[in-house]
Amino acid sequence: MFYVIGIGLGDAKDITVKGLEIVKSASRVYLEMFTSVLSVGKDGLEEFYGRDIIIADRELVEMEADTILMNADKENVAFLVVGDPFGATTHTDLVLRAKQKNIPTKVVHNASIMNAIGCCGLQLYNFGETVSIPFWTDTWRPDSFFEKICSNKQRGLHTLCLLDIKVKEPTPESLTKKKKEYLPPMFMTVKEASQQLMEIVKNSDDTVIDRDTLCVGVARVGSDEQEIVCCTLNEMTMKNLGKPLHSLVIVGKLHPLEEEYLNFLSN
């Protein structure tokens, strides 16, 4: 059986009882660590689970998936995902590959930022399409996500912005070499995301988003060090919420209860 197990957002103890039982009995246990990360590392998980864990980087998951699925039709293989298993397209693809090989699969769900964002007081059914904000470079500055934020705003809906992370990304110089060299891990902050948004706003002639648009920044949701701030987009460009992971919400039309909760956060 191939198990895809969500391990939550906070720390090693956020795994479900069902998920932990599977992990303890599986022949191999993989941990995917390129779409998200926990506040505890591999060592902390191994200590709590009582199991050795194999790190599954992007190359292994996307290019060598057969290695992960090897013998999963004869023995139990566990694939651990931070948050919920279906929070990233990559995991859906992996389950599909297993099914195409006639490998039985089971999914164990858990909390993800997609529902835990309710911690900021905004009601989940008032959110529109979720967007991802990538790191800009000197030569690559995509902004197609901004249209979706504006579309949500026009309809009075909030927008959850998932912020870019880069883990084990090869350096441009090493792409043509046999031995790859990797960039240091990078995790976008709400400060960096709002700075990029402000640049787009400044270059837009007519937009429903401006410097005074209300935003919510969250960091380390689900952990004991969770932090939430509410302020304008321009003010968010100066906020430092500390360690990753961060997410940003562009606020739409507020229900009175939502407004009361955000006022509480602001004060």
Side-chain angles (χ1 to χ4, degrees), residues 104-116:
T105 62
K106 281 190 178 179
V107 174
V108 180
H109 293 282
N110 209 315
S112 78
I113 190 62
M114 301 292 284
N115 55 13

Side-chain angles (χ1 to χ4, degrees), residues 165-200:
I165 73 171
K166 292 186 179 298
V167 180
K168 204 176 178 182
E169 292 282 333
T171 62
E173 298 79 12
S174 72
L175 289 175
T176 56
K177 299 178 181 178
K178 290 184 179 180
K179 184 178 180 180
K180 288 185 180 178
E181 298 173 348
Y182 298 96
L183 295 166
M186 296 173 60
F187 304 92
M188 183 179 284
T189 64
V190 294
K191 179 178 180 179
E192 293 169 319
S194 54
Q195 287 172 344
Q196 290 187 186
L197 285 170
M198 278 297 297
E199 284 201 45
I200 297 173

Side-chain angles (χ1 to χ4, degrees), residues 1-2 28 68-77 98 101-105:
M1 180 76 70
F2 180 60
R28 301 192 310 280
I68 297 173
L69 298 174
M70 184 176 59
N71 295 329
D73 56 338
K74 303 171 185 175
E75 56 191 23
N76 292 336
V77 176
K101 292 177 175 292
N102 295 317
I103 296 172
T105 62

Side-chain angles (χ1 to χ4, degrees), residues 10-179:
D11 57 31
K13 295 181 180 179
D14 280 357
I15 192 171
T16 64
V17 174
K18 180 188 291 185
L20 184 58
E21 289 175 346
I22 295 168
V23 166
K24 287 184 175 295
S25 64
S27 298
R28 301 192 310 280
V29 180
Y30 293 91
L31 172 64
E32 187 270 277
M33 287 192 68
F34 64 89
T35 61
S36 190
V37 294
L38 274 184
S39 60
V40 295
K42 172 176 176 283
D43 292 344
L45 293 179
E46 288 181 330
E47 181 180 357
F48 183 74
Y49 297 161
R51 289 299 312 273
D52 290 334
I53 292 175
I54 305 166
I55 295 297
D57 59 17
R58 183 184 298 275
E59 185 175 340
L60 177 61
V61 175
E62 296 184 352
M63 306 299 292
E64 303 173 27
D66 288 349
T67 301
I68 297 173
L69 298 174
M70 184 176 59
N71 295 329
D73 56 338
K74 303 171 185 175
E75 56 191 23
N76 292 336
V77 176
F79 184 81
L80 308 183
V81 176
V82 177
D84 186 78
F86 291 135
T89 308
T90 297
H91 311 139
T92 305
D93 179 67
L94 192 57
V95 171
L96 184 59
R97 288 171 183 250
K99 291 181 179 296
Q100 289 171 342
K101 292 177 175 292
N102 295 317
I103 296 172
T105 62
K106 281 190 178 179
V107 174
V108 180
H109 293 282
N110 209 315
S112 78
I113 190 62
M114 301 292 284
N115 55 13
I117 194 61
C119 67
C120 71
L122 298 176
Q123 298 169 9
L124 294 179
Y125 53 78
N126 286 339
F127 279 79
E129 185 175 356
T130 298
V131 305
S132 296
I133 300 182
F135 278 113
W136 281 354
T137 69
D138 293 338
T139 57
W140 189 68
R141 297 163 68 90
D143 60 5
S144 58
F145 56 86
F146 188 69
E147 295 180 12
K148 297 177 181 179
I149 296 174
C150 291
S151 176
N152 286 340
K153 183 73 171 177
Q154 288 171 334
R155 290 179 290 149
L157 301 175
H158 315 310
T159 304
L160 171 61
C161 304
L162 305 178
L163 308 187
D164 200 5
I165 73 171
K166 292 186 179 298
V167 180
K168 204 176 178 182
E169 292 282 333
T171 62
E173 298 79 12
S174 72
L175 289 175
T176 56
K177 299 178 181 178
K178 290 184 179 180
K179 184 178 180 180

Side-chain angles (χ1 to χ4, degrees), residues 117 120-123 126-129 131 146 148-161 197 208-218 228-233 236 247-263 265-266:
I117 194 61
C120 71
L122 298 176
Q123 298 169 9
N126 286 339
F127 279 79
E129 185 175 356
V131 305
F146 188 69
K148 297 177 181 179
I149 296 174
C150 291
S151 176
N152 286 340
K153 183 73 171 177
Q154 288 171 334
R155 290 179 290 149
L157 301 175
H158 315 310
T159 304
L160 171 61
C161 304
L197 285 170
V208 294
I209 307 295
D210 58 31
R211 59 184 283 121
D212 295 319
T213 296
L214 195 62
C215 301
V216 177
V218 299
I228 307 172
V229 297
C230 177
C231 60
T232 67
L233 178 60
M236 195 68 77
S247 296
L248 181 69
V249 178
I250 309 301
V251 177
K253 183 179 180 181
L254 290 171
H255 181 277
L257 188 61
E258 293 177 311
E259 187 172 7
E260 182 179 355
Y261 203 99
L262 292 187
N263 286 335
L265 292 177
S266 299

Side-chain angles (χ1 to χ4, degrees), residues 39 218-228 241-245:
S39 60
V218 299
R220 302 171 297 282
V221 170
S223 76
D224 293 336
E225 298 176 339
Q226 175 176 296
E227 191 169 349
I228 307 172
L241 298 192
K243 296 182 297 183
L245 293 171

